[in-house]
Amino acid sequence: MTTSVTRSSNHSRTLTLVHVAMFSALMAIGANISAFLVVGGVPITLQTFFAILAGILLGKRLGAAAMIVYALIGLAGVPVFAQFSGGMDTLISPTFGFIISYVFTAYAAGWIASKMPSKKGFILAALVATAINYVFGTNWMYAAYKFWFAAPEGFTYAMAWAWMAVPLPKDILLAVFAGLFGFRMQPIIRKYLP
């Protein structure tokens, strides 16, 4: 009896680690699958989509953990951030706020989806998580350009938000898709999570 309980516990921990690692890897792929397109100082990526899915599918705690692992891998120097960047110098990058925001994005998506386990709830979770990503990341970018990074000529708070208007329609559509996809996949994934 003790052996089967230990084996089951180890199996559960192993699957949890695999899920966290999988979403960290998906973030790296999402960062660079379309990162060749840059508007202003902002690369167009699929990271928000994968951060939302991590929160919805893994739950708030494991989804946020996957985003922390992703950030730490990039800070360690592995080129997993947008435009195949990585290393400690990204801490002062204008777009590092988005990387930090993925932790909050995943947590919020997971928390809201757990409180509202319906199709509408999952879509709402994804849209709120996208808003968190945009607000945190854009404000960080504005502060970075104003205080420690060379700002483009005539840079204003409105200009920072204008840059973010370009990927916004894509991110809204992907958020709705993440909510719908997460709602469909969540019962399957939950079988394998603790």
Side-chain angles (χ1 to χ4, degrees), residues 19 22-23 26 50-60 62-63 106 109-110 113 122 178 181-190 193:
H19 286 124
M22 179 184 71
F23 272 98
L26 286 171
F50 287 120
I52 292 167
L53 275 182
I56 287 175
L57 295 178
L58 301 182
K60 63 184 182 187
L62 291 177
F122 276 52
F181 183 72
F183 181 74
R184 296 282 298 206
M185 291 300 295
Q186 197 244 8
I188 298 165
I189 297 291
R190 292 288 178 196
L193 291 174

Side-chain angles (χ1 to χ4, degrees), residues 99-179:
I99 295 167
I100 295 169
S101 79
Y102 298 136
V103 176
F104 303 116
T105 298
Y107 189 90
W111 185 77
I112 294 169
S114 72
K115 298 294 181 191
M116 301 175 70
S118 66
K119 192 181 292 186
K120 287 181 183 177
F122 276 52
I123 293 170
L124 178 65
L127 291 170
V128 168
T130 300
I132 290 168
N133 173 253
Y134 268 68
V135 169
F136 193 95
T138 305
N139 282 299
W140 178 287
M141 180 174 61
Y142 175 74
Y145 277 126
K146 280 299 188 185
F147 298 116
W148 64 81
F149 211 77
E153 186 67 33
F155 183 74
T156 64
Y157 190 65
M159 182 184 285
W161 280 103
W163 288 349
M164 295 311 300
V166 175
L168 183 60
K170 175 223 22 137
D171 283 333
I172 289 172
L173 286 173
L174 285 175
V176 171
F177 180 69

